[in-house]
Amino acid sequence: MRIVSSLYLKLFISSVLALASILSLAQNAPKVEMKTSMGEIVIEVYPDKAPLSADNFLKYVKDGFYNGTIFHRIINGFMVQGGGYDKSMKEKTTRAPIQNEAKNGLKNQTYTIAMARTGDPHSASAQFFINVNNNSFLDYPGQDGWGYAVFGKVIKGTEVIEKMKGVETNRRDQPVSAVVIESARIIE
């Protein structure tokens, strides 16, 4: 009897330690505070699932690259995209593109953040988008065999995203009034 209860105790302790480890990882995930002209959002980044995308995004944040850029493409029911253009719609110079990490198991669900790219699966650089809907057609393998790499999620300020998705846009899905990223910084 004592051997059985000792085994249960060991299983219980290892389960508690595993849960604590998982919770610690979530608490230690990098977070980015993004102040926009519509309010503040906080994005939790997942370097354990998307190391290249997370590192790329965090480097742009550290460099101050996103400060003064805009959300230049907004499609209600789909996504809000930003991080590549200044207020005059001039595209900013970026670092080299990164490898597509869409095969990481993360899904393009509401409020997740993913790397924007061209038709070339490995063309993502600074631009990102925040899903405002569950967009499973963007998940790996997607329509082109690759999909779009999710690397984090908005964990605070979802009401700001809700306001953003409803702004008036022109026929090219650009906001009529600029939605500006005033600042982005890594927070503890």
Side-chain angles (χ1 to χ4, degrees):
M1 186 74 158
R2 183 168 221 151
I3 293 173
V4 172
S5 58
S6 174
L7 179 63
Y8 283 124
L9 180 60
K10 286 179 183 176
L11 285 172
F12 174 75
I13 290 172
S14 73
S15 296
V16 168
L17 290 174
L19 180 61
S21 175
I22 290 168
L23 291 174
S24 172
L25 284 176
Q27 290 173 343
N28 292 328
K31 293 172 183 61
V32 171
E33 175 189 78
M34 195 172 278
K35 292 184 179 178
T36 77
S37 56
M38 296 190 81
E40 181 181 302
I41 62 174
V42 175
I43 300 163
E44 185 172 67
V45 180
Y46 305 135
D48 57 324
K49 290 284 196 173
L52 298 174
S53 302
D55 182 61
N56 179 65
F57 179 73
L58 293 171
K59 281 181 181 172
Y60 280 113
V61 170
K62 286 177 191 170
D63 292 346
F65 181 90
Y66 294 124
N67 300 346
T69 61
I70 60 170
F71 283 92
H72 65 276
R73 185 170 173 234
I74 295 179
I75 303 173
N76 195 351
F78 178 37
M79 59 86 215
V80 297
Q81 181 176 340
Y85 293 88
D86 66 18
K87 295 175 202 169
S88 62
M89 280 301 289
K90 181 179 178 207
E91 190 168 10
K92 293 185 76 172
T93 303
T94 63
R95 291 191 300 275
I98 60 171
Q99 182 76 20
N100 189 315
E101 293 183 296
K103 196 176 181 178
N104 62 19
L106 298 174
K107 305 296 182 193
N108 282 278
Q109 297 173 333
T110 306
Y111 306 128
T112 58
I113 183 170
M115 295 305 302
R117 62 176 177 83
T118 66
D120 174 357
H122 309 292
S123 62
S125 58
Q127 291 187 38
F128 60 87
F129 62 92
I130 299 169
N131 290 287
V132 299
N133 201 358
N134 291 333
N135 295 315
S136 60
F137 67 96
L138 298 177
D139 297 339
Y140 176 83
Q143 299 168 334
D144 63 359
W146 285 95
Y148 289 76
V150 171
F151 64 92
K153 184 171 186 168
V154 175
I155 60 167
K156 180 182 172 193
T158 55
E159 70 282 356
V160 175
I161 303 303
E162 290 298 310
K163 283 192 290 187
M164 265 187 219
K165 75 178 188 181
V167 300
E168 182 183 355
T169 57
N170 64 24
R171 67 176 198 264
R172 292 186 355 215
D173 301 317
Q174 298 166 333
V176 172
S177 297
V179 179
V180 181
I181 298 171
E182 295 166 350
S183 66
R185 68 183 184 101
I186 299 170
I187 58 173
E188 298 300 321

